[in-house]
């Protein structure tokens, strides 16, 4: 399958090969793992967090751990959000994501065309949620995400795993790059 990926963490180059599976994780996974202790603390005493906004990365970790728990139990053939590359099915979708990332200040290097030899799942990004101290609510929202794949309405986010090769850099973006990358 051919897809497109917005490069945000570090530059990619044609011919580069990536592997995403249970042994190879994404940047999302690393950020979630860094918050695992905090997630356990939230779930151990959720009443202490009622009425307070959670720090962004903690809310993301609560969401992603609930998403992974539901995926493993009910949809094990779908790519894991923690062990995948986020992609787009069309260049136009990738350009929309690149514009969004650049607008929010995220380092955005380029859009690359990729060859995927693995699994894919198209989810509706509008069904992503800010995790909360309520474990039941997080699971319910995660179930809604996986049960309702992208159907043409909303914002598509394609998850791909397996063997992935960068075929070409189709568009340079170079927005919000760290000083040492310029």
């Amino acid at each position: 399958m051919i897809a497109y990926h917005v490069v945000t963490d570090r530059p990619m180059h044609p011919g580069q090969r990536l592997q995403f599976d249970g042994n190879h994780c994404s940047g999302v996974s690393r950020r979630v793992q860094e918050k695992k202790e905090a997630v356990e603390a939230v779930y151990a005493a959720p009443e202490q967090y009622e009425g307070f906004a959670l720090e962004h990365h903690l809310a993301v970790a609560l969401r992603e751990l609930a998403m992974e728990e539901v995926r493993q139990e009910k949809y094990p053939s779908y790519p894991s959000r923690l062990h995948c590359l986020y992609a787009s099915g069309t260049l136009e979708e990738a350009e929309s994501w690149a514009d969004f990332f650049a607008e929010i200040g995220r380092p955005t290097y380029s859009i690359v065309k990729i060859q995927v030899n693995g699994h894919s799942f198209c989810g509706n990004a509008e069904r992503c949620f800010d995790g909360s101290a309520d474990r039941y609510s997080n699971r319910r929202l995660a179930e809604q995400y996986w049960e309702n794949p992208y159907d043409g309405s909303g914002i598509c986010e394609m998850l791909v795993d397996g063997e992935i090769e960068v075929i070409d850099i189709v568009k340079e973006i170079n927005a919000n790059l760290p000083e040492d990358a310029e």
Side-chain angles (χ1 to χ4, degrees):
M1 167 179 54
I2 297 294
Y4 298 88
H5 172 68
V6 180
V7 180
T8 58
D9 282 343
R10 57 190 160 278
M12 292 181 148
H13 55 81
Q16 183 174 352
R17 293 180 183 272
L18 307 165
Q19 179 74 37
F20 287 95
D21 55 30
N23 297 317
H24 299 87
C25 63
S26 66
V28 173
S29 178
R30 285 187 291 279
R31 290 186 290 275
V32 166
Q33 293 307 316
E34 290 171 0
K35 294 292 183 180
K36 205 147 189 193
E37 253 181 63
V39 166
E40 291 169 9
V42 167
Y43 284 152
E47 67 283 351
Q48 293 181 7
Y49 298 88
E50 287 178 20
F52 294 99
L54 297 173
E55 183 266 332
H56 171 74
H57 292 292
L58 176 56
V60 168
L62 288 158
R63 174 189 69 217
E64 294 302 334
L65 290 169
M67 293 278 225
E68 182 62 8
E69 189 176 288
V70 169
R71 185 201 66 81
Q72 286 178 350
E73 290 173 11
K74 297 185 175 188
Y75 304 96
S77 65
Y78 290 168
S80 166
R81 292 173 58 86
L82 301 176
H83 301 274
C84 76
L85 188 68
Y86 288 79
S88 297
T90 68
L91 179 56
E92 293 76 21
E93 285 176 359
E95 288 173 331
S96 291
W97 279 110
D99 291 344
F100 171 72
F101 292 147
E103 285 173 20
I104 64 169
R106 187 170 178 179
T108 308
Y109 292 90
S110 61
I111 298 173
V112 296
K113 184 178 189 178
I114 57 174
Q115 172 75 46
V116 179
N117 183 12
H119 303 96
S120 67
F121 173 81
C122 291
N124 186 338
E126 291 179 356
R127 291 200 177 272
C128 283
F129 56 94
D130 289 334
S132 71
D134 183 342
R135 183 183 286 236
Y136 173 77
S137 176
N138 291 338
R139 276 196 53 97
R140 183 177 44 77
L141 293 168
E143 287 171 1
Q144 290 174 1
Y145 173 86
W146 292 114
E147 289 168 359
N148 299 287
Y150 180 72
D151 63 3
S153 62
I155 301 170
C156 182
E157 63 177 9
M158 178 188 289
L159 317 177
V160 296
D161 68 6
E163 297 174 14
I164 300 165
E165 181 179 357
V166 176
I167 303 300
D168 194 21
I169 297 173
V170 295
K171 186 173 184 179
E172 293 283 349
I173 310 277
N174 297 319
N176 309 310
L177 302 185
E179 287 185 27
D180 59 350
E182 294 177 5

